[in-house]
Amino acid sequence: MSNANSQLSGENTYLVRVAQMILGPCTNVLRDVLRKEISPPDLEKKVRTYVDKTKKSLINKQQEALVYGQDYSKYDLTLLYFLLRNMCSIQPHSNNWGNNPSSVDKSVSANIERIRMIRNEYGQNLERSISDTNFDKKCQDIHDIVHELEKHLGPSTDYQDEVNTIKTSPMDPEQIAKQIKELLDLHEQRMAISVFPVTTRSYAEQTENCKLIYIH
């Protein structure tokens, strides 16, 4: 991150704010969706079954350990996407997992997908700038995504409020450098993600035949 400090002026600061939104409210709302969808013990059981039944596991040992630790607050965006997509009963959006959802699709899976896409869009290149217009649009997009997911969870607007705060709050250079590094680290964790075909077969049977799709 040799250029991190130089990114703290002008339009480049917008990129840092988007990174903060991805690593903060976007990731946290997905953690809450996971909590709503499946309990830690049930999640551990499903992941153990997946690892046992799959010849080449698509999550690494560190990620397995995180799941077995049952602390959702430690799960990053890459792991969250894998778990929400493959270990929960969330219905695929109209264009199916791994694809750009329709703009009118407000389903839980569509909004999970949109977070993945935003993370990929900005996580792959932190040497870019964002114009005023694009920044305002991206903030609105993120706010809308978080709004829909919070509506799924209940009446809280905490994460929407956090998005609004990040948009205009003063920026701490040390925290900024840390969060940019985290976003780059996520990009470097290029992990293949399995998706189980929608069939009437049991979970264990489905793990024998999984298709591969990549978060990036």
Side-chain angles (χ1 to χ4, degrees):
M1 289 310 304
S2 59
N3 293 333
N5 292 332
S6 66
Q7 293 179 341
L8 303 184
S9 62
E11 294 178 348
N12 290 332
T13 61
Y14 293 152
L15 180 61
V16 177
R17 295 186 190 276
V18 171
Q20 290 176 326
M21 293 176 190
I22 294 168
L23 294 168
C26 287
T27 301
N28 287 329
V29 76
L30 291 187
R31 288 171 178 149
D32 283 356
V33 172
L34 186 64
R35 291 184 183 100
K36 179 181 175 69
E37 294 294 328
I38 189 167
S39 68
D42 287 344
L43 179 61
E44 178 179 349
K45 182 179 179 181
K46 280 195 169 186
V47 169
R48 288 189 184 278
T49 300
Y50 161 77
V51 171
D52 290 343
K53 295 290 185 179
T54 306
K55 293 181 180 179
K56 186 177 181 181
S57 176
L58 299 178
I59 60 174
N60 59 41
K61 293 299 182 182
Q62 182 181 7
Q63 291 166 326
E64 283 183 49
L66 286 172
V67 172
Y68 303 155
Q70 300 189 2
D71 184 354
Y72 289 2
S73 68
K74 295 181 179 179
Y75 297 2
D76 65 22
L77 193 54
T78 300
L79 181 57
L80 287 165
Y81 181 82
F82 170 81
L83 296 172
L84 289 164
R85 174 174 171 166
N86 296 303
M87 303 295 159
C88 298
S89 57
I90 299 172
Q91 290 297 309
H93 57 85
S94 57
N95 290 338
N96 292 319
W97 288 109
N99 299 305
N100 190 354
S102 166
S103 60
V104 298
D105 192 336
K106 304 300 183 183
S107 65
V108 172
S109 55
N111 284 297
I112 293 170
E113 201 77 69
R114 290 184 181 106
I115 290 177
R116 177 189 68 84
M117 293 173 63
I118 291 171
R119 168 250 177 266
N120 286 352
E121 179 182 0
Y122 292 99
Q124 293 177 11
N125 183 4
L126 292 177
E127 302 297 327
R128 59 186 291 182
S129 63
I130 305 176
S131 69
D132 290 350
T133 301
N134 288 340
F135 176 67
D136 287 339
K137 182 180 185 305
K138 189 57 60 178
C139 288
Q140 187 60 56
D141 290 344
I142 292 173
H143 186 278
D144 291 346
I145 292 165
V146 172
H147 166 74
E148 291 297 328
L149 290 173
E150 279 199 299
K151 188 167 65 173
H152 169 70
L153 294 170
S156 174
T157 63
D158 288 351
Y159 298 132
Q160 297 166 69
D161 296 341
E162 188 177 353
V163 170
N164 292 335
T165 298
I166 291 171
K167 183 178 179 181
T168 59
S169 64
M171 302 170 68
D172 173 15
E174 290 186 5
Q175 184 65 15
I176 287 165
K178 176 177 179 290
Q179 290 183 317
I180 292 177
K181 182 181 184 300
E182 288 177 10
L183 198 61
L184 280 175
D185 288 345
L186 273 179
H187 175 58
E188 290 171 1
Q189 294 169 13
R190 296 190 171 188
M191 181 189 77
I193 294 180
S194 68
V195 54
F196 304 128
V198 180
T199 71
T200 57
R201 293 180 299 155
S202 69
Y203 174 88
E205 290 172 327
Q206 290 182 40
T207 58
E208 295 289 350
N209 259 321
C210 60
K211 296 191 300 181
L212 301 187
I213 191 159
Y214 295 87
I215 193 169
H216 60 282

